[in-house]
Each structure stands twice: as C-alpha cells, then as structure tokens.
Amino acid sequence: MTEEEMRKRLESLRIEHRDLDAAIGALTTAGSPDQLQIARLKKRKLRLKDQIALIEDALLPDIIA
C-alpha cells in the first residue's frame, strides 16, 4: 500500500469513526435505547480506532531526539 493510499484509507476510517460516534450519541438519547446495538457500534468504533492508530504509526516515522 502506498503512502497516498494509506492517507486516503486513514481519512475514510476517521470519517467512519466520527459517524459511529454520532450514531451512538443518537441511539443513547433515543427514547428506548437498544443497548445491544450501542455495544456493537462501540466495538466497531474501537476497532476503527485501532486501525487508525496502526496507519498513523506507519505514516509517522519514529524520530529519536
């Protein structure tokens, strides 16, 4: 995967992460929140966060100061 592809993937993951955050917030404030659905969305959000971190680590070199 090239650096440009990684950056595009990173941006799409960040967008999906924000969308999930909004969906979780909407379900939480709903009259009868579905706890199972909220839990699934939170797990998906955590997986996205891990994927984002992996790509960011690959894009940002470790510089020893």
Side-chain angles (χ1 to χ4, degrees):
M1 187 181 289
T2 66
E3 184 176 338
E4 183 178 334
E5 290 171 334
M6 289 174 72
R7 291 189 188 281
K8 287 180 183 178
R9 176 77 175 139
L10 181 61
E11 185 58 32
S12 69
L13 290 173
R14 286 179 175 160
I15 290 169
E16 187 176 352
H17 188 269
R18 283 192 300 264
D19 290 347
L20 281 173
D21 197 34
I24 291 168
L27 283 174
T28 302
T29 59
S32 59
D34 181 0
Q35 294 300 319
L36 182 59
Q37 181 67 20
I38 292 171
R40 287 179 179 151
L41 291 175
K42 286 182 177 182
K43 281 185 179 182
R44 173 71 180 144
K45 188 177 166 189
L46 285 173
R47 283 194 301 270
L48 288 173
K49 185 177 178 182
D50 290 342
Q51 290 176 355
I52 289 169
L54 286 173
I55 293 174
E56 285 176 340
D57 287 346
L59 288 174
L60 299 174
D62 290 337
I63 300 173
I64 300 173

